[in-house]
Amino acid sequence: GVVYGGDEMSPLALALGQPYQVSGEGGNEVGPFNATVTAPRSFPTLQVDLLHRGSDLDVRWATETAPTAEPLLLEAKWASRTGTRTVRCRVRDDGAFSIPHDAFADLPATAALTSASVTATRLARAPFFAPGAGRGELTLALKDVAALQVTP
């Protein structure tokens, strides 16, 4: 999507469960807009089991105190000298999921891996409208990344 910036950007302190507002003054082609989204109440603190080749990968994470309908995004990613591979799953944010073993069929030998990780992303979304640009979506993401350990 489009990324907006400004001269006076400064880091924001994250307040979990609180609303965030993005505003634009507009210009020649896009009119002014405001969008507000409420941040998730917690990071999805990950616990990732050791991956045994030929087995599913069990992943657990901290759940929200008040469940939402928004799925959690899980991403297992690895790299070697021959390239990278990413497996993405949209799962119910209920605290546990097993990534099927066949998703790791292309995983190279452990000695050939240069990196391997699992990322969990909890999203909050809100629609908005900008004259001249139409409908859009403001997305706020909270991520946790854990190393993926693979048996030889």
Side-chain angles (χ1 to χ4, degrees), residues 53 80 106-114 150-152:
R53 292 180 185 277
S80 68
D106 295 334
L107 185 68
T110 305
L113 288 172
T114 55
V150 182
T151 60

Side-chain angles (χ1 to χ4, degrees), residues 16-44:
L16 298 172
Q18 298 301 308
Y20 285 83
Q21 184 176 46
V22 175
S23 299
E25 293 178 11
N28 293 337
E29 296 179 24
V30 177
F33 64 89
N34 287 307
T36 302
V37 65
T38 300
R41 296 183 186 282
S42 63
F43 280 87

Side-chain angles (χ1 to χ4, degrees), residues 74-131:
L74 285 178
E75 180 179 271
K77 184 175 186 176
W78 60 88
S80 68
R81 285 177 280 170
T82 59
T84 62
R85 170 105 165 125
T86 303
V87 175
R88 291 182 182 93
C89 306
R90 295 172 65 88
V91 303
R92 185 179 7 221
D93 192 354
D94 61 4
F97 184 76
S98 293
I99 301 174
H101 68 278
D102 58 345
F104 299 98
D106 295 334
L107 185 68
T110 305
L113 288 172
T114 55
S115 67
S117 63
V118 176
T119 302
T121 305
R122 184 168 284 141
L123 300 173
R125 302 173 193 258
F128 73 95
F129 180 80

Side-chain angles (χ1 to χ4, degrees), residues 6 14 18 26-27 45 56 68 73 85 106 125 131-132 142:
L14 178 65
Q18 298 301 308
T45 308
D56 297 347
T68 66
L73 305 179
R85 170 105 165 125
D106 295 334
R125 302 173 193 258
L142 299 182

